[in-house]
Amino acid sequence: SGQPQVTVTGRVFNDGRSDAIDVYVTAEALDAAGKIVASGVSYVGAVAAGSSSAFIVKVPSSRAAANFRVLVTSFRFGFATQS
């Protein structure tokens, strides 16, 4: 049904004093030389000050992948709306 994917999971921690909102993480698959061979982006949402949120990123499977790294690629500080 499509290309096989690898699931990368983890947590984003906000040790700041303000809520982080509109948080996105990017997971990158790296080959043995450290070159990016695949990547995926996931929307995390809000991470309250002093808190953490789990994330799941789907990355296209690559035989060359020797390692993965995850970066917070976008966020802004503000007030998370209480739902």
Side-chain angles (χ1 to χ4, degrees):
S1 68
Q3 187 172 4
Q5 294 183 318
V6 176
T7 301
V8 179
T9 61
R11 296 193 77 78
V12 175
F13 292 87
N14 177 2
D15 48 15
R17 295 183 179 184
S18 301
D19 295 343
I21 56 179
D22 294 337
V23 178
Y24 286 84
V25 294
T26 300
E28 298 172 335
L30 309 172
D31 68 10
K35 182 172 158 276
I36 299 167
V37 293
S39 67
V41 178
S42 184
Y43 177 69
V44 178
V47 184
S51 186
S52 67
S53 287
F55 64 81
I56 299 172
V57 185
K58 302 274 191 199
V59 180
S61 185
S62 170
R63 282 204 181 99
N67 218 329
F68 290 87
R69 73 176 167 211
V70 177
L71 309 155
V72 173
T73 41
S74 179
F75 73 93
R76 59 194 176 91
F77 285 117
F79 295 100
T81 51
Q82 303 298 321
S83 48

